[in-house]
Amino acid sequence: LLTQLTNRRYGPGYAFAQIMLSLAVCDVVVVVRPAGIVHMLPGAALPNVREVVAFVGAFIAAGYLSAVAFDITRGPHWWRAPLIGSYVSSLGFAVLYYPLAYAGSGSSWFQHMTTHAGILIAASVLGLLPYWLLRPVVRPLPGFGGY
């Protein structure tokens, strides 16, 4: 939601920068307080290196896809850009993360991927309500056609 609103106001460059900044904040927390994170998760829930690399790669790619899709689909229908941006991001993340993290590992990841993608897509639809409520507050910059 915040990425969509940032994209509405400042464009795709700022939206992608916001995604990278949020990832950087997570990295700083992991580097500064790794023990705090380890204690919050049970031992079995700690991801391996492959899962972490897959997550970071999928997160960056999905964020970029979201920002670009939102910008391309701007238009007179207020709901189109945030819905398609979130939808593309949701599918992009799931389709990239699960095969990168689990393909060849012997785990049954495909069902988890489809369930996760479905939940993210449902959240995309639900995210339209707060987006619609915040549209009057977060005006687009001139040059974006008022969308």
Side-chain angles (χ1 to χ4, degrees):
L1 175 64
L2 294 177
T3 303
Q4 306 302 338
L5 291 169
T6 299
N7 202 340
R8 173 178 167 77
R9 177 71 177 129
Y10 299 109
Y14 279 90
F16 187 66
Q18 176 186 4
I19 291 163
M20 296 306 292
L21 182 63
S22 67
L23 186 60
V25 168
C26 292
D27 291 344
V28 167
V29 169
V30 168
V31 169
V32 172
R33 279 288 282 162
I37 294 171
V38 170
H39 292 304
M40 291 188 321
L41 298 171
L46 292 174
N48 60 39
V49 173
R50 181 180 174 182
E51 292 168 343
V52 171
V53 170
F55 179 85
V56 171
F59 183 83
I60 292 170
Y64 179 76
L65 290 172
S66 174
V68 170
F70 183 99
D71 196 51
I72 289 171
T73 56
R74 282 180 193 272
H77 300 289
W78 69 266
W79 53 268
R80 185 177 293 161
L83 182 64
I84 292 175
S86 293
Y87 183 77
V88 167
S89 177
S90 300
L91 284 179
F93 181 83
V95 167
L96 288 171
Y97 172 70
Y98 284 94
L100 289 173
Y102 302 111
S105 68
S107 66
S108 58
W109 54 269
F110 189 79
Q111 179 62 36
H112 293 288
M113 178 184 74
T114 55
T115 302
H116 190 188
I119 291 168
L120 291 174
I121 289 168
S124 298
V125 173
L126 293 174
L128 288 176
L129 178 62
Y131 181 88
W132 176 74
L133 292 170
L134 292 169
R135 278 179 66 232
V137 178
V138 182
R139 296 257 183 229
L141 283 178
F144 289 119
Y147 308 113

